[in-house]
Amino acid sequence: MFNRRDYKIERMIMSDHKFKQSKIMIPVLFAALAVLMLLSLLIGRYPVSAGEAFHIVFVSPFVEQAATEDTRWIVVQILRLPRILLATMAGLGRAMAGGAMQGVFRNPLVGPEILGVSSGAAFGGVLAIFLGFGELPQIAASAFAFGCLALVLAFILAGAARQHGVIGLVLAGLIIGGFFGSATGLLTYMADPETKLPNIVYWLMGSFAAATYDQVAFMAAVSLVAMPPLLGLSWRINILSLGDADAKALGVKINFLRWLIVVLVSLVVAAQVAVSGGVGWVGLIMPHLARMLVGPDHVKLLPVSSLLGGIYLLLMDDLARSLTGGEIPIGLLTSMIGTPVFAFFFIKLHGKGWSND
Amino acid sequence: MAKQSGKSEGGGPAVLFLIFLLAALLKGLWAPEVAERAADSAGGLEVVDMTGRLVHLDGPARRAVLLTPLSWHYLTVTRSDESIIMVPPYMKHEFAESVLGRIFPALAAKPVSIFDTKSAALFSAEQSLLMNPDVILSWDYLARDLEKIKFRGLIKITGDGRYKEKLYEVLGELTGQSERVEQMWARYRANESALFAKIPAEAPEKTLIVIGNDNFALWRGQPYKKYAADVKKLRARNMAEKISNTSGPLNMETLLQLDPDFIFINPFSSYFTAMTTADIYAHPVLRRLKAVSAKRVYHMPLGAARLEGPYEDYLFLLWSALVMRPELDLELDLRSAVRETYLEAFGYEMSEDEIDAWLRFEENKFSAGYARLGRPR
């Protein structure tokens, strides 16, 4: 059976300049993300100096009498820091999920939405609001539960059709996603225009404005369960991306592996939708950028894609909360910037196909 | 070489991710909290907002941010715009088109939230801290980040069944005008009872629908629910009750099947609904409706408060009774009622031109019986 050691040897034989480039890419991106997170502490409508912000974040938690009534402390600790952490984790998770899905499906034009998990989670959130459970933890719980349910339904559907291959998964995901998408539309249509509809619309457009530390803890916990295993499986995704026949020949249990990755990806996506509503395009575009930087090897691609996603989403959230005196829904920004970028990749990839084919 | 490469490939990034996520988890679990600030003991004020939360304030509102279409209610209670420091952008259109902008000319100069949206203002918590208001009135679902920082003067508004009464109760407490609010509602109830008493129980039932927007969606929002209940006492029935959807365009065939006696266009400004009675009279399909062929299409008056609240609610009912019940000699003078009401509500004397504008007389004058509401000769 083909194992991780064999894979490493093969990788070294096949190394190119992108492989060398990728060695510095990850630390550089980590450093860039860390710098952006620090800078994000200073971005916002309320003026807070760098010295004050860093003191509030790095010193005041260890001081017994922190000035928790001070407006600057509230701005930095309660408003900015949780949304910086949440936007970063959501971006990291979403882009890693996208990279993994593109590898598993051997298709660069799929995103983590392909299995209907996003649609299921969106339906769950909308259903909670529609039924009058409009508090944030209730919306998040319902969104996460329905995101997971969508995955289970896709699994059952693919099993019932005896289609465990890529096409079966995609079709099952499309059916489930389509169903939940239309159900969301129906609830939106039926919602009371005065009391429920605006809440539904704003939630669907996505925002980190209401980020809390509870959400940070939840997103971090789910990410801890899903992201390190995804990174650990990244070299196996390389094998899956060779195609089913080659992967089988190398002794990989492709169905089990594919479903394991899909489950991990779905957890991340459902958690992201649960805490921030609809945020599209990050999982679709960042893997492409990462592929341009470090090539198609998922061992490098997943962390680089993930870090780019964290940087991108954090940057978008910085814009969302600082461009105007109001809050611009982040889903609008990621889509407005994401669609032209995706169009660029779509044109560029046309005729070239998937590099592993 | 192989060993070095293997280390840098898999382990490094995973460890860094793990450290970051663990740090975030720990920060999330041991989160800092905003200290509750106690209200000043002297002159303190307690208000129960529309979600049932008890809000402690230092005193009546002095710097209020109004994020919902509440400014007219707020102004009705306070009769002053001094304490308003910000309104949502779409309110500017209401001020410009309705008499409200002439009653309170300073409103036009009030800052608006920058992000323009038709349904509500998405207002950032940081911006609110920057403007230093003592009170923010916000829809429940737009107040999450304000709740997060435990903003002390947050008054949450919901659209429950007793929307207006409860809202006025809250505004009365908030501005120290509870007594005035009680008087307003007492006046309203007396006027309403007198009007309903003039409608005989055996009067034939009339049917109506209210067009809510330019796509012919029926107006079934929260303000209309009260109106729909009230017009029943005028022996009129809202046929939209049969329609299950509460938003979205109406199927023209449904409209043909309902075939109401009256069609009204909602009382919002042209920012929300640009449709006019002429559009409906000229509509190739709607021409078949009996309301259209009998010229019984009316644009509802453009009041200072979208015909909501204890003053305008009654004027709205009076207008509806006079329009839908021309066969009854109600002996009620709408123009005088409008003049007296605005004088009492805001201390503002309406001119004949302003009353014409309030009635949308130029637009409605071709509709059946509307000439009766014109200026006395």
Side-chain angles (χ1 to χ4, degrees):
Chain A
M1 184 181 163
F2 191 79
N3 60 29
R4 191 179 175 108
R5 190 169 164 275
D6 299 331
Y7 161 75
K8 281 180 184 169
I9 293 166
E10 191 172 311
R11 268 292 317 279
M12 277 183 291
I13 294 165
M14 293 170 71
S15 69
D16 52 14
H17 89 281
K18 274 190 174 168
F19 174 61
K20 287 173 192 163
Q21 190 182 334
S22 68
K23 280 179 148 183
I24 57 160
M25 190 58 68
I26 293 171
V28 165
L29 286 174
F30 256 117
L33 179 60
V35 170
L36 182 62
M37 288 175 76
L38 291 175
L39 285 176
S40 299
L41 289 170
L42 312 179
I43 296 172
R45 306 291 292 184
Y46 199 90
V48 182
S49 71
E52 285 168 332
F54 298 146
H55 182 271
I56 288 165
V57 173
F58 298 111
V59 180
S60 76
F62 308 103
V63 178
E64 270 186 40
Q65 294 293 321
T68 58
E69 264 193 29
D70 179 69
T71 305
R72 286 175 180 77
W73 184 90
I74 291 171
V75 166
V76 174
Q77 277 284 4
I78 305 298
L79 291 176
R80 293 185 188 169
L81 189 53
R83 72 187 288 174
I84 288 169
L85 290 171
L86 203 60
T88 304
M89 281 191 289
L92 290 173
R94 194 87 184 190
M96 186 183 285
M101 292 301 267
Q102 289 178 7
V104 166
F105 287 94
R106 301 174 58 231
N107 187 335
L109 301 180
V110 302
E113 300 86 3
I114 196 78
L115 280 175
V117 175
S118 299
S119 301
F123 171 78
V126 170
L127 181 68
I129 299 168
F130 184 83
L131 295 176
F133 301 104
E135 295 298 321
L136 221 49
Q138 297 167 330
I139 297 172
S142 178
F144 189 69
F146 274 91
C148 295
L149 177 67
L151 176 68
V152 172
L153 291 175
F155 182 78
I156 291 170
L157 191 61
R162 298 182 189 283
Q163 292 283 326
H164 294 288
V166 170
I167 297 295
L169 274 175
V170 171
L171 284 175
L174 278 175
I175 293 166
I176 298 302
F179 171 75
F180 279 119
S182 54
T184 302
L186 182 67
L187 290 184
T188 307
Y189 177 66
M190 290 166 58
D192 186 312
E194 292 283 324
T195 57
K196 307 274 172 66
L197 187 59
N199 197 4
I200 288 174
V201 171
Y202 288 127
W203 186 78
L204 283 175
M205 285 194 288
S207 175
F208 291 102
T212 62
Y213 282 108
D214 289 341
Q215 292 178 331
V216 169
F218 169 71
M219 188 75 208
V222 175
S223 301
L224 274 169
V225 169
M227 285 170 64
L230 272 177
L231 284 174
L233 290 169
S234 53
W235 66 280
R236 288 179 185 265
I237 297 174
N238 279 344
I239 300 170
L240 276 183
S241 65
L242 295 172
D244 286 6
D246 289 341
K248 264 185 191 168
L250 291 168
V252 174
K253 294 174 182 170
I254 53 170
N255 281 338
F256 171 77
L257 181 58
R258 188 174 286 133
W259 276 107
L260 179 61
I261 292 165
V262 161
V263 167
L264 295 172
V265 162
S266 301
L267 284 175
V268 172
V269 172
Q272 178 271 307
V273 177
V275 296
S276 61
V279 177
W281 299 93
V282 181
L284 190 60
I285 289 159
M286 291 308 132
H288 286 285
L289 276 178
R291 205 170 286 115
M292 284 172 70
L293 292 171
V294 296
D297 175 12
H298 289 84
V299 173
K300 297 293 176 192
L301 179 71
L302 288 198
V304 168
S305 168
S306 178
L307 289 165
L308 287 172
I311 291 169
Y312 177 69
L313 205 54
L314 182 54
L315 209 53
M316 291 300 104
D317 189 51
D318 287 344
L319 292 177
R321 66 190 168 89
S322 60
L323 280 181
T324 72
E327 285 278 348
I328 301 175
I330 193 168
L332 297 185
L333 284 178
T334 56
S335 301
M336 283 174 73
I337 294 170
T339 42
V341 173
F342 187 64
F344 168 76
F345 285 119
F346 184 65
I347 293 164
K348 203 167 178 223
L349 285 172
H350 183 69
K352 290 186 180 173
W354 179 229
S355 53
N356 274 2
D357 277 345
Chain B
M1 185 187 165
K3 215 171 183 180
Q4 276 177 349
S5 173
K7 265 185 186 174
S8 64
E9 270 176 44
V15 169
L16 287 173
F17 273 96
L18 211 59
I19 291 170
F20 171 72
L21 293 173
L22 273 173
L25 179 65
L26 292 174
K27 182 71 184 170
L29 290 175
W30 280 278
E33 277 199 31
V34 185
E36 293 274 7
R37 195 161 66 89
D40 292 350
S41 52
L45 189 66
E46 288 190 340
V47 178
V48 178
D49 77 4
M50 291 180 74
T51 61
R53 288 164 60 248
L54 183 63
V55 180
H56 301 274
L57 298 168
D58 291 337
R62 291 182 306 277
R63 291 178 56 79
V65 168
L66 311 178
L67 296 183
T68 56
L70 295 173
S71 43
W72 41 65
H73 301 305
Y74 189 88
L75 291 162
T76 305
V77 173
T78 61
R79 300 180 83 180
S80 162
D81 59 10
E82 270 179 31
S83 58
I84 298 178
I85 60 168
M86 204 194 83
V87 292
Y90 56 87
M91 289 302 306
K92 294 276 181 176
H93 299 269
E94 309 280 330
F95 299 156
E97 284 188 38
S98 79
V99 70
L100 194 68
R102 286 189 292 281
I103 300 172
F104 299 103
L107 281 175
K110 300 280 181 189
V112 295
S113 65
I114 300 156
F115 187 70
D116 193 357
T117 167
K118 283 189 177 184
S119 53
L122 292 160
F123 188 52
S124 81
E126 283 193 39
Q127 184 69 32
S128 73
L129 291 170
L130 209 53
M131 297 183 78
N132 196 27
D134 55 2
V135 165
I136 298 179
L137 286 95
S138 169
W139 291 121
D140 190 15
Y141 55 87
L142 289 177
R144 286 170 186 146
D145 51 347
L146 292 169
E147 275 186 293
K148 205 169 61 177
I149 60 171
K150 296 187 180 169
F151 183 79
R152 203 152 62 91
L154 172 63
I155 305 289
K156 295 203 287 181
I157 308 297
T158 59
D160 69 7
R162 293 175 62 246
Y163 176 53
K164 288 172 203 164
E165 288 84 346
K166 178 64 186 166
L167 174 63
Y168 272 76
E169 195 182 306
V170 170
L171 292 177
E173 288 174 10
L174 189 65
T175 57
Q177 298 283 344
S178 295
E179 201 176 322
R180 177 171 149 78
V181 166
E182 274 177 35
Q183 286 167 0
M184 284 181 208
W185 285 111
R187 174 192 186 275
Y188 168 75
R189 277 186 280 272
N191 282 336
E192 188 190 52
S193 302
L195 175 63
F196 293 150
K198 288 177 181 283
I199 310 296
E202 65 277 10
E205 188 186 66
K206 304 286 177 75
T207 56
L208 79 145
I209 57 157
V210 181
I211 302 290
N213 66 20
D214 298 341
N215 291 324
F216 293 97
L218 293 186
W219 191 43
R220 293 164 51 82
Q222 200 66 36
Y224 184 61
K225 284 179 183 165
K226 182 178 185 320
Y227 178 67
D230 286 345
V231 292
K232 280 185 182 165
K233 295 173 190 166
L234 300 175
R235 299 277 300 136
R237 186 163 53 86
N238 166 32
M239 300 190 87
E241 283 173 346
K242 289 181 179 175
I243 315 291
S244 57
N245 68 304
T246 55
S247 58
L250 185 68
N251 184 321
M252 283 292 159
E253 288 188 30
T254 306
L255 206 51
L256 291 172
Q257 188 252 327
L258 292 174
D259 198 14
D261 298 320
F262 292 87
I263 295 176
F264 293 164
I265 301 172
N266 82 33
F268 290 8
S269 72
S270 61
Y271 183 64
F272 290 93
T273 313
M275 185 182 282
T276 64
T277 52
D279 295 328
I280 294 182
Y281 286 135
H283 196 283
V285 176
L286 299 184
R287 258 184 272 168
R288 274 108 182 130
L289 295 174
K290 63 184 176 198
V292 179
S293 58
K295 293 274 181 191
R296 289 196 296 253
V297 180
Y298 305 87
H299 203 151
M300 289 169 153
L302 180 63
R306 286 189 194 167
L307 302 183
E308 295 172 8
Y311 288 114
E312 291 202 334
D313 251 346
Y314 169 66
L315 291 179
F316 197 5
L317 277 177
L318 183 55
W319 176 87
S320 305
L322 290 167
V323 166
M324 288 194 290
R325 293 288 172 196
E327 76 280 7
L328 300 175
D329 186 11
L330 294 174
E331 294 181 341
L332 292 166
D333 180 358
L334 180 58
R335 296 183 78 94
S336 299
V338 169
R339 194 177 295 109
E340 285 160 17
T341 300
Y342 279 84
L343 198 57
E344 185 181 327
F346 303 111
Y348 184 80
E349 190 147 1
M350 295 270 274
S351 68
E352 289 296 327
D353 284 348
E354 284 171 334
I355 295 174
D356 280 345
W358 189 93
L359 288 163
R360 298 192 211 252
F361 193 76
E362 274 305 303
E363 183 184 338
N364 286 329
K365 68 182 176 188
F366 301 109
S367 296
Y370 215 74
R372 290 182 302 123
L373 304 182
R375 297 182 192 197
R377 296 186 179 186

